[in-house]
Amino acid sequence: MANGFKVFSTGEVLTAADVNDYLMEQSIGIFANSTARDAQITSPIEGQFCYLADSNVLMLYNGGWANFIGDGDITGVTAGTNLNGGGASGAVTLNLDTTISGVTLTDYAETDVAVTSSSGVVAINMNNGNTGSITLTENITDIDFTNVPGAGVSTFTLQITQHASSAKTVAINAVTVNGGGNVTAKTAGGAGYTVSDGANAIDLVTFLFLDAGTPLLNSLQNFS
């Protein structure tokens, strides 16, 4: 086994044991790739190192060849606020705790999803965000939501800006949720929803989903 460092004197006999203990077992072989290494080191021993030129990695043998990273100064990863997971060795994973409570948010902004229509159909993917805006260029006959969470309460708030010169309509009786059939969004008192028809008038319409069911619709209208 390796014996550490030795200063050889002039004329000293270099024995086989010296070669093995001070040179062979304490050197790092340099190979073009793992194939060349395995062809030359057919019986590696625990603690042996090698360097592979093709991938520029230092490897250690400990029952098998593995990249040698060495010891860092991080001894563990602890899950902090609103996180879970962590660990002290191996591959460490941190997960966002989806049961977050008691959180205070300051100075935050939500993504404004640019919503468009095609042949009267508006497609809203809630994976992209929970707020969006559209300027009407045609009558809206269908509003199709995808990726609405299947459990719990979720919302999507849509800013609708009326056409600048020719008023368009927005129907809420052909709303689909996650590929389901057409439903009519529910409104307070069953009053329905009629988009404001003034030029460039703005409505804020919020769709609220419970367990991805038929949405409840609330509107603030005629901002101008």
Side-chain angles (χ1 to χ4, degrees), residues 63-221:
W65 290 106
N67 290 357
F68 180 75
I69 300 174
D71 293 330
D73 56 4
I74 297 176
T75 58
V77 177
T78 301
T81 303
N82 299 323
L83 295 172
N84 58 51
S89 63
V92 176
T93 300
L94 288 176
N95 301 302
L96 177 65
D97 187 349
T98 57
T99 59
I100 298 173
S101 62
V103 177
T104 300
L105 300 177
T106 59
D107 192 24
Y108 80 98
E110 293 190 59
T111 300
D112 177 19
V113 179
V115 178
T116 58
S117 62
S118 176
S119 300
V121 178
V122 171
I124 298 175
N125 182 349
M126 289 182 60
N127 275 350
N128 296 331
N130 293 84
T131 60
S133 59
I134 184 172
T135 297
L136 299 180
T137 58
E138 60 181 350
N139 295 332
I140 303 303
T141 56
D142 292 84
I143 304 176
D144 299 332
F145 289 91
T146 54
N147 292 307
V148 178
V153 176
S154 57
T155 63
F156 189 90
T157 298
L158 179 64
Q159 175 181 300
I160 302 175
T161 301
Q162 183 57 265
H163 193 275
S165 59
S166 119
K168 310 301 180 183
T169 60
V170 175
I172 61 168
N173 63 346
V175 177
T176 68
V177 180
N178 295 343
N182 289 338
V183 296
T184 300
K186 298 180 180 181
T187 56
Y193 167 72
T194 301
V195 66
S196 299
D197 60 6
N200 298 312
I202 296 173
D203 289 358
L204 288 180
V205 179
T206 298
F207 297 85
L208 185 148
F209 304 88
L210 174 61
D211 299 337
T214 299
L216 309 181
L217 184 151
N218 185 52
S219 63
L220 297 173
Q221 294 190 259

